[in-house]
């Protein structure tokens, strides 16, 4: 990954230069990858508290 690509991903995620002091490159990459899942509508149901307790 190049520096310009990394900075582009930060801009796309709304991360400021000041915020980068608190984040790692890997965390920014994970956030970018997960942002692609935001529009996914295929989840059929959400877990309830009972599901979490059973887990």
């Amino acid at each position: 990954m190049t520096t310009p690509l990394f900075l582009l991903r930060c801009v796309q995620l709304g991360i400021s230069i000041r915020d980068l002091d608190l984040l790692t490159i890997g965390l920014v990459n994970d956030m970018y990858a997960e942002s692609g899942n935001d529009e996914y509508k295929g989840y059929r149901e959400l877990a309830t508290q009972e599901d979490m307790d059973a887990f």
Side-chain angles (χ1 to χ4, degrees):
M1 172 185 295
T2 63
T3 301
L5 178 59
F6 177 74
L7 293 174
L8 174 64
R9 288 185 176 174
C10 290
V11 168
Q12 290 171 332
L13 292 169
I15 299 171
S16 69
I17 296 294
R18 180 175 289 184
D19 293 338
L20 288 178
D21 286 338
L22 305 172
L23 304 172
T24 63
I25 293 171
L27 184 56
V28 172
N29 284 335
D30 289 345
M31 291 168 62
Y32 182 77
E34 288 298 324
S35 71
N37 295 333
D38 289 346
E39 302 300 319
Y40 181 67
K41 304 285 189 226
Y43 299 116
R44 296 176 191 246
E45 61 184 70
L46 295 175
T48 63
Q49 185 60 49
E50 291 80 22
D51 295 330
M52 296 305 292
D53 291 342
F55 180 71

